[in-house]
């Protein structure tokens, strides 16, 4: 079992920044891929960014490339999502996720989910 706890969400004006954190605990040695999904009201769940735990390979949705940065701190078992140049369309509930398998499995159906944290970007 893996537990994920997100923090760092909140409200910010367009152009501002937020940093989301996801702390993992439990059987974390099984985790290979971690990342973030988001879901805006009336919209489908979409992947935002992902990172492999060991190699640090990263993936970004086209809509956030150049603005968001995913990183990890192995000593703290924590993954971060630095969000810069935020836009109103970034408003959503952001959820941390972890997968025991590879990236292809992560994007399809992650094994573990955090509780979600809300990000609101106003004009």
């Amino acid at each position: 079992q893996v537990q994920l706890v997100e923090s760092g969400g909140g409200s910010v004006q367009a152009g501002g920044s937020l940093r989301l954190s996801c702390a993992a605990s439990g059987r974390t040695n099984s985790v290979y891929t971690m990342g973030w999904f988001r879901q805006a009201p009336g919209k489908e769940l979409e992947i935002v960014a992902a990172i492999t735990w060991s190699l640090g390979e990263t993936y970004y949705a086209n809509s956030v490339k150049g603005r968001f940065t995913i990183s990890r701190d192995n000593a703290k078992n924590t993954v971060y999502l630095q969000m810069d140049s935020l836009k109103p369309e970034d408003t959503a509930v952001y959820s941390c996720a972890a997968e025991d398998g590879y990236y292809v499995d992560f994007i399809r159906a992650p094994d573990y989910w955090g509780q979600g944290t809300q990000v609101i970007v106003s004009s």
Side-chain angles (χ1 to χ4, degrees):
Q1 190 71 35
V2 174
Q3 295 80 45
L4 305 174
V5 179
E6 305 107 319
S7 62
S11 298
V12 66
Q13 295 185 35
S17 298
L18 286 172
R19 190 191 194 194
L20 305 183
S21 299
C22 178
S25 61
R27 195 179 172 87
T28 57
N29 61 306
S30 67
V31 173
Y32 184 81
T33 307
M34 290 184 64
W36 297 85
F37 290 78
R38 69 183 182 186
Q39 188 165 30
K43 300 293 185 179
E44 190 173 283
L45 184 73
E46 64 174 336
I47 190 170
V48 178
I51 188 168
T52 61
W53 192 251
S54 297
L55 299 179
E57 301 168 304
T58 58
Y59 165 86
Y60 297 97
N62 289 334
S63 60
V64 306
K65 285 181 179 178
R67 300 189 298 119
F68 291 11
T69 304
I70 190 168
S71 61
R72 73 203 193 283
D73 186 332
N74 291 25
K76 298 174 66 174
N77 295 122
T78 300
V79 172
Y80 304 96
L81 184 67
Q82 178 67 42
M83 304 185 293
D84 298 320
S85 302
L86 283 162
K87 304 175 181 179
E89 50 263 44
D90 294 319
T91 296
V93 173
Y94 286 70
S95 298
C96 181
E99 166 64 43
D100 289 343
Y102 302 124
Y103 177 75
V104 64
D105 302 302
F106 179 85
I107 62 175
R108 185 176 181 86
D111 293 323
Y112 313 103
W113 289 90
Q115 79 282 3
T117 186
Q118 186 167 253
V119 171
I120 299 175
V121 184
S122 59
S123 300

